[in-house]
Amino acid sequence: MAKTRLIVVGNGMVGQRFLEELCEKGNPAAFDITVFCAEPRVAYDRVHLSSYFSHHTDEDLSLVKPGFFEKYGISVLVGEAVKQIDTAQKQVHSNKGKILPYDKLVMATGSYPWVPPIAGSAHHECFVYRTIEDLNAIESAAKQGKSGVVIGGGLLGLEAAGALKALGLDTHVVEYAPVLMAEQLDRMGGEMLRRKINSLGVSVHTSRNTVNIAMHGGRTGLHRLNFADGSTLDTDVIVFSTGIRPQDTLARYSGLFVSERGGIVINDQCVTSNPDIYAIGECASWHGQYFGLVAPGYKMAQVAADHLLGRKELNFTGADMSAKLKLLGVSVGSIGDAHGRTPGSRNYIFQDDQAGIYKKIVVSPDGTKLIGAVLVGDVDDYGQLLQMKLNDLPVPEHPDTLILPSYAGAKPAMGVDALPASAVICSCFDVSKQRIADAVAAGCHTVAAIKAETGAGTGCGGCVPLIAQVLNAELAKQGFEVKNHLCEHFPHSRQELFHLVKVGGLRTFGEVLARHGHGYGCEVCKPTVGSILATVHNDYILKPEHTPLQDTNDVFLGNMQKDGTYSVIPRMAGGEVTPEGLMTVAQVAKDFQLYTKITGAQRIGLFGAHKGDLPEIWRRLIDAGFETGQAYGKSLRMVKTCVGSTWCRFGVQDSVGLGVELEHRYKGIRTPHKMKFGVSGCTRECAEAQGKDVGIIASDAGWNLFVGGNGGMKPRHADLLASDLDHDTLLRYLDRFLMFYASTADKLQRTATWLESLDGGIDYLREVIVDDRLGLGAQLEADMMEVRAKYECEWKATVEDTSQHARFAHFINSPAHDPNVAFVPAREQHRPASPAERKIIPIKPVETV
Amino acid sequence: MWTTVCELKAIVPGTGVCALVGDAQIAIFRPHADDTVYAIANIDPFAEASVLSRGLICEHQGELWVASPLKKQRFRLRDGLCLENRDYSVASYAVRVSDGRIEVQS
């Protein structure tokens, strides 16, 4: 049978989704597919476009799975557009002169940003915000400027404003309507959002009608915006975000019916006025309406693919326009009839000006159903409210209890059990509760596994908490016990033990074991309790009662290498080292034959030290003014810094100075896992601070604090906790953050995974650290002060306490070195001999006593 | 032949030391503050490095083991059995405390 020749015009999010639906669920062998992709790159995630500025690679945003096109033999014409569809001959003409025949054709041309026709708006230096090319243009303009304005205070406009802010511009938002996000928010919600955004340093100007733009006519900025009320605003960068229009030009030229308001007319099966042509996504108009969200587009992709495959039962029936997003760090949710326009509907409102929270629910006139909601500043209830609306679940007797804070009393927990099996949990990928339950039954026992299996939660991510709830409920049903006990000796989690140790004033492993555990202990609980005791009390870790708890690294204060030798890494705070210090390090390395290398942490590592030599090596380093770098400990390793404003011609703050101060402030404090900090002196971010547990980046107005980043095995970009902090506030937040992490994280849990495991994530953390919602701030700061006061250099204490030195000898009964340690030359230095090499290297006979 | 290695009090309770007996490196452990001691080979058979005496003493299945400081494989103190892979078990040695001193048989 001849293959159906299928042409897909457009490779955006919806076009790509259509291909996946068709190929992965249908029979790709039945089709010969050609895709026109007018942009210079294949489908990428426009929803998370602004993350391009932080991640900065288009691969991260790509939506095309590696090898996808090859696997299904799809021919993709990148950078090539269709300029005409000849519906009579059933062929398309491309802008590069190609003529291709088709049997079926799918239009997925998306939308274009609409820019109001005011004087100046067509200038090439007025930008829009839709493609990666737009972003590149904005970024290069931002490098020349200091200020930027987004015209349009809708969802996308605020997203763009966030990008300008991230680029370091003094950012303004100009909105014609009296409220921000007028589509999704009511007046009070919009007002709350405006206040929060203002407090983040973005100036919001509402009810401003821009009448013209004087390009290159500004005084304090490059350009000048003139408003109808006579006021003006000078700015260097202008971005328009004043709405989108369906990209239906090709359809018009090709004779397809186009709706009055724009958009290619489609029926419930996404078929256009031509029976062989479909239209999906933002370019399509269904019942006179077009949809600027991705979820309805995905639904259309599914409907069109099914129809093309001959499965005709699925229809497009409109879309739920509910949305949950985070704009400039502010969480916002909007569900259904957010404005309460349904006649006779009842509103319930909760507002907390101090915390910056506004919540409203709209209930049907008879008080039985939820029909809408607005959430600003706290969207924890979003998932539950949305399910309630979508599934027509009964509203509790007092509907206001749904949005009251939890301290107001028990919240009516809907629980996932209340949801019908057909309830759509993930609307981006149309995944039902039943589908997730099936995946759990089939062996997916983590959220990550469910994501991979069903696709749920991989779109906007708003349903992830709900997926976790379904997962836990299903696991519980199957009889799995969700346990977080430390090990067989302690029926407690690390977090619980931390509090038991602190509250009980326990000081030794023996006491902790006697009070809260049983048995002897093991390689899991001993170091964990050792670390907890060290965090809480910061005693010398090599007191005889603590020594047996420590991993060998802590027992001998060095990192054990593969051959049983140790590394020696003195602290070089912020990466600073004097020439005299370098000379001492060099001499020590030479005298003890140590392999020398700059480590990944901006300091010098000496490797291959015999255990027995460690006290003498460190005595010499300490005499020269060095101290331990804790390169072996689960504690702050170092603060990586760029050169900063003291030398660098771009730097805006003294990053080295701050890095040195932070390293000395937090050195030696034991944490659940090692920690790395970074401080960058400007937005160029040369210290790669966003890949660190704590990253601090200078802004014109102070410091931006990022937390939860990680390099290593599973890289993660840090999240912004607070912006434009002055020095003292920064230290206060850091004290709180570190103590909160140390007291609540699981064993060996880095901040990145800890943050991801926190219910509520970065928003919750911000409430605890910045807003002090739990009232813990003062205590955390006091705890940190107490621990800091007890810092001493462990190596100094060990060098001075000569009774410790005997422990370092390799043999208890001989002064000989370990005869199993041998080296071979490598690149003008040496490396450990492999066991095989060792056998052929003559080993000096061991002297005996 | 019993060889005297060191005084019992030279070992911090809960830790181990390494002794040289003839050509052999022997790890001696003192799990408690009393005079219970164990002796097994000091060489980690996975990495072929002399490190077992520096491992953490741990309890599993009601018995005492040492976890290698390199990659945490566990070896039973009383006989050197490797919990993860019995093919990698290590030798054990008879050991006793006499007059406050530790003696190993080799």
Side-chain angles (χ1 to χ4, degrees):
Chain A
M1 198 181 90
K3 289 188 177 188
T4 305
R5 292 167 299 183
L6 174 68
I7 287 179
V8 180
V9 186
N11 189 231
M13 299 181 75
V14 172
Q16 180 62 22
R17 186 60 191 281
F18 166 81
L19 292 171
E20 286 176 7
E21 290 283 343
L22 190 75
C23 295
E24 289 175 356
K25 292 185 188 162
N27 175 19
F31 293 93
D32 185 2
I33 306 174
T34 304
V35 177
F36 283 89
C37 175
E39 277 190 59
R41 62 178 62 71
V42 294
Y44 56 90
D45 186 353
R46 269 189 243 277
V47 174
H48 298 103
L49 197 57
S50 46
S51 75
Y52 179 69
F53 285 130
S54 46
H55 294 66
H56 226 284
T57 67
D58 38 1
E59 287 97 44
D60 284 343
L61 286 175
S62 177
L63 290 176
V64 181
K65 297 170 197 160
F68 176 82
F69 294 128
E70 296 79 3
K71 182 176 172 191
Y72 297 109
I74 298 171
S75 144
V76 186
L77 306 171
V78 176
E80 190 159 352
V82 173
K83 64 172 191 187
Q84 200 206 329
I85 305 170
D86 181 345
T87 52
Q89 301 287 325
K90 290 186 78 169
Q91 56 191 22
V92 301
H93 298 252
S94 88
N95 62 344
K96 293 188 177 167
K98 256 193 215 104
I99 299 175
L100 287 178
Y102 69 85
D103 300 310
K104 298 282 179 187
L105 187 142
V106 176
M107 306 274 293
T109 47
S111 65
Y112 63 91
W114 178 78
V115 176
I118 56 177
S121 73
H123 193 278
H124 69 274
E125 285 176 52
C126 283
F127 302 106
V128 294
Y129 195 82
R130 179 167 175 86
T131 65
I132 288 184
E133 277 60 45
D134 295 334
L135 263 58
N136 287 337
I138 291 170
E139 187 175 24
S140 67
K143 280 189 185 138
Q144 316 290 328
K146 278 190 159 24
S147 61
V149 62
V150 176
I151 300 176
L155 191 160
L156 200 61
L158 296 180
E159 184 87 24
L164 292 189
K165 180 117 175 55
L167 287 170
L169 297 182
D170 172 27
T171 304
H172 298 256
V173 173
V174 172
E175 168 59 44
Y176 178 80
V179 282
L180 293 173
M181 287 181 68
E183 288 268 319
Q184 292 89 0
L185 301 183
D186 61 348
R187 191 181 51 78
M188 289 165 76
E191 184 52 32
M192 179 64 80
L193 178 63
R194 171 233 264 291
R195 252 185 280 161
K196 295 192 73 124
I197 289 178
N198 263 333
S199 75
L200 290 168
V202 173
S203 314
V204 178
H205 315 266
T206 48
S207 303
R208 287 295 165 87
N209 180 9
T210 314
V211 287
N212 65 63
I213 304 171
M215 296 304 288
H216 295 269
R219 198 165 301 153
T220 56
L222 197 53
H223 316 297
R224 169 163 294 183
L225 271 54
N226 291 306
F227 301 116
D229 62 4
S231 61
T232 62
L233 177 67
D234 285 4
T235 185
D236 298 323
V237 179
I238 298 173
V239 178
F240 272 96
S241 179
T242 33
I244 57 151
R245 295 288 183 272
Q247 183 54 271
D248 54 14
T249 319
L250 175 65
R252 285 176 198 269
Y253 284 140
S254 307
L256 299 177
F257 289 176
V258 171
S259 152
E260 215 170 296
R261 295 179 56 200
I264 308 162
V265 173
I266 57 168
N267 64 13
D268 290 357
Q269 286 78 45
C270 301
V271 178
T272 65
S273 55
N274 183 313
D276 293 319
I277 300 180
Y278 299 80
I280 55 177
E282 291 174 327
C283 68
S285 171
W286 178 82
H287 290 212
Q289 189 187 1
Y290 58 85
F291 302 91
L293 289 179
V294 74
Y298 281 174
K299 185 78 193 175
M300 290 182 201
Q302 202 185 352
V303 170
D306 273 28
H307 193 262
L308 200 53
L309 290 165
R311 307 174 197 151
K312 313 262 161 130
E313 62 270 26
L314 203 60
N315 288 331
F316 185 75
T317 54
D320 178 66
M321 298 299 278
S322 302
K324 173 178 132 174
L325 9 103
K326 188 182 285 178
L327 297 161
L328 290 149
V330 182
S331 297
V332 174
S334 167
I335 294 173
D337 182 9
H339 296 89
R341 291 189 179 123
T342 308
S345 60
R346 309 169 185 177
N347 291 341
Y348 296 84
I349 292 170
F350 171 81
Q351 182 161 353
D352 176 348
D353 280 344
Q354 206 253 322
I357 294 171
Y358 171 80
K359 303 185 196 181
K360 177 179 87 169
I361 50 173
V362 184
V363 176
S364 63
D366 61 359
T368 59
K369 300 274 191 290
L370 183 79
I371 58 175
V374 175
L375 303 168
V376 178
D378 174 1
V379 293
D380 289 354
D381 299 325
Y382 179 83
Q384 170 164 350
L385 294 175
L386 181 64
Q387 290 298 334
M388 205 166 238
K389 179 200 170 252
L390 294 180
N391 297 292
D392 284 338
L393 298 181
V395 166
E397 184 187 351
H398 301 289
D400 51 347
T401 55
L402 287 171
I403 48 170
L404 289 180
S406 49
Y407 53 74
K411 218 174 193 152
M414 173 186 72
V416 288
D417 283 341
L419 293 178
S422 61
V424 173
I425 302 291
C426 170
S427 47
C428 294
F429 285 82
D430 197 23
V431 181
S432 67
K433 180 183 162 195
Q434 184 61 49
R435 180 85 212 287
I436 294 174
D438 292 346
V440 176
C444 298
H445 289 177
T446 62
V447 171
I450 293 173
K451 281 182 171 183
E453 171 67 22
T454 66
T458 59
C460 74
C463 61
V464 170
L466 218 58
I467 296 174
Q469 280 186 45
V470 175
L471 168 67
N472 287 336
E474 291 300 317
L475 283 179
K477 270 189 220 159
Q478 293 178 22
F480 283 95
E481 198 181 341
V482 186
K483 262 202 323 199
N484 58 355
H485 294 177
L486 197 55
C487 68
E488 62 193 273
H489 305 106
F490 286 97
H492 300 285
S493 67
R494 181 191 178 276
Q495 182 179 357
E496 289 162 351
L497 266 184
F498 188 96
H499 291 290
L500 292 169
V501 166
K502 199 161 156 39
V503 173
L506 306 180
R507 300 199 79 98
T508 66
F509 181 75
E511 286 173 23
V512 181
L513 190 67
R515 291 278 287 279
H516 303 292
H518 51 81
Y520 181 83
C522 67
E523 75 280 12
V524 174
C525 59
K526 282 176 162 188
T528 303
V529 171
S531 159
I532 292 174
L533 291 169
T535 306
V536 174
H537 305 300
N538 208 7
D539 276 347
Y540 178 45
I541 58 165
L542 295 181
K543 283 186 177 173
E545 64 268 34
H546 297 324
T547 304
L549 305 181
Q550 317 298 342
D551 274 317
T552 187
N553 284 359
D554 275 328
V555 175
F556 298 106
L557 304 173
N559 215 330
M560 186 192 263
Q561 307 299 314
K562 63 194 291 185
D563 61 346
T565 63
Y566 291 84
S567 60
V568 171
I569 303 182
R571 183 167 302 291
M572 294 179 180
E576 280 187 339
V577 59
T578 63
E580 292 76 15
L582 275 178
M583 286 194 269
T584 304
V585 170
Q587 199 58 50
V588 166
K590 208 160 167 50
D591 292 350
F592 291 89
Q593 293 180 49
L594 304 174
Y595 165 78
T596 307
K597 175 182 190 309
I598 311 288
T599 70
Q602 289 194 339
R603 46 195 190 175
I604 296 173
L606 310 175
F607 293 79
H610 287 278
K611 184 158 69 102
D613 291 339
L614 289 173
E616 180 56 18
I617 290 173
W618 277 102
R619 187 194 62 73
R620 287 177 52 178
L621 291 171
I622 286 164
D623 284 350
F626 285 107
E627 58 179 7
T628 178
Q630 260 101 16
Y632 44 83
K634 304 296 182 214
S635 58
L636 173 63
R637 291 290 171 85
M638 54 74 181
V639 181
K640 179 173 178 177
T641 62
C642 69
V643 178
S645 61
T646 41
W647 288 92
C648 176
R649 66 184 193 279
F650 297 114
V652 294
Q653 305 268 9
D654 176 14
S655 47
V656 181
L658 181 68
V660 171
E661 180 185 358
L662 293 181
E663 193 160 332
H664 286 304
R665 185 179 180 87
Y666 299 115
K667 63 189 176 189
I669 295 165
R670 288 323 203 250
T671 39
H673 209 310
K674 67 179 173 188
M675 302 197 74
K676 295 180 175 181
F677 288 15
V679 183
S680 279
C682 77
T683 54
R684 283 169 187 77
E685 241 284 68
C686 294
E688 295 157 341
Q690 288 168 95
K692 302 279 187 271
D693 297 275
V694 169
I696 296 158
I697 302 175
S699 68
D700 287 341
W703 301 99
N704 292 340
L705 172 58
F706 294 79
V707 296
N710 197 3
M713 188 163 67
K714 194 165 171 257
R716 179 181 193 276
H717 270 83
D719 289 317
L720 181 65
L721 185 68
S723 329
D724 296 333
L725 301 175
D726 61 56
H727 171 268
D728 293 354
T729 310
L730 174 71
L731 293 189
R732 211 166 64 239
Y733 288 174
L734 272 176
D735 282 1
R736 294 178 181 183
F737 169 76
L738 292 175
M739 260 343 232
F740 188 60
Y741 162 63
S743 56
T744 60
D746 205 351
K747 61 175 189 294
L748 297 182
Q749 191 177 35
R750 288 289 291 267
T751 56
T753 40
W754 170 71
L755 181 54
E756 286 184 352
S757 73
L758 277 185
D759 231 356
I762 186 73
D763 294 328
Y764 170 70
L765 189 64
R766 192 176 296 114
E767 286 172 5
V768 174
I769 305 299
V770 178
D771 309 334
D772 202 8
R773 285 265 303 273
L774 302 181
L776 286 174
Q779 186 61 48
L780 293 171
E781 288 167 43
D783 289 347
M784 178 57 80
M785 189 150 75
E786 192 187 326
V787 173
R788 285 205 301 118
K790 292 174 83 174
Y791 170 81
E792 58 173 347
C793 170
E794 292 151 355
W795 260 116
K796 186 159 185 284
T798 305
V799 166
E800 285 168 0
D801 179 1
T802 46
S803 73
Q804 290 278 351
H805 297 194
R807 279 195 315 109
F808 284 85
H810 183 70
F811 294 114
I812 190 95
N813 59 345
S814 159
H817 276 157
D818 179 358
N820 255 333
V821 171
F823 302 110
V824 292
R827 291 184 302 278
E828 299 171 65
Q829 296 196 63
H830 57 269
R831 61 165 174 81
S834 69
E837 288 168 330
R838 241 186 268 149
K839 293 189 179 88
I840 53 168
I841 297 172
I843 294 171
K844 273 181 281 171
V846 183
E847 315 119 61
T848 39
V849 258
Chain B
M1 187 183 86
W2 290 94
T3 307
T4 300
V5 169
C6 63
E7 293 196 44
L8 176 67
K9 64 175 191 233
I11 309 182
V12 178
T15 69
V17 298
C18 174
L20 184 63
V21 180
D23 282 344
Q25 295 198 28
I26 299 178
I28 300 170
F29 298 96
R30 184 185 181 196
H32 311 281
D34 59 17
D35 61 2
T36 317
V37 284
Y38 299 93
I40 63 174
N42 188 47
I43 313 292
D44 175 330
F46 293 94
E48 299 187 41
S50 327
V51 298
L52 289 188
S53 63
R54 293 175 250 170
L56 271 167
I57 305 175
C58 50
E59 178 198 53
H60 294 290
Q61 306 171 350
E63 306 223 43
L64 292 177
W65 311 69
V66 62
S68 168
L70 286 170
K71 296 206 172 155
K72 301 278 183 284
Q73 296 94 346
R74 287 155 298 186
F75 301 87
R76 192 153 64 192
L77 296 189
R78 70 176 165 84
D79 59 3
L81 177 83
C82 176
L83 183 63
E84 280 73 18
N85 183 346
R86 55 172 53 241
D87 294 342
Y88 283 80
S89 300
V90 300
S92 64
Y93 300 85
V95 59
R96 67 186 183 194
V97 178
S98 159
D99 226 6
R101 283 198 283 264
I102 297 176
E103 297 174 350
V104 182
Q105 193 173 41
S106 61

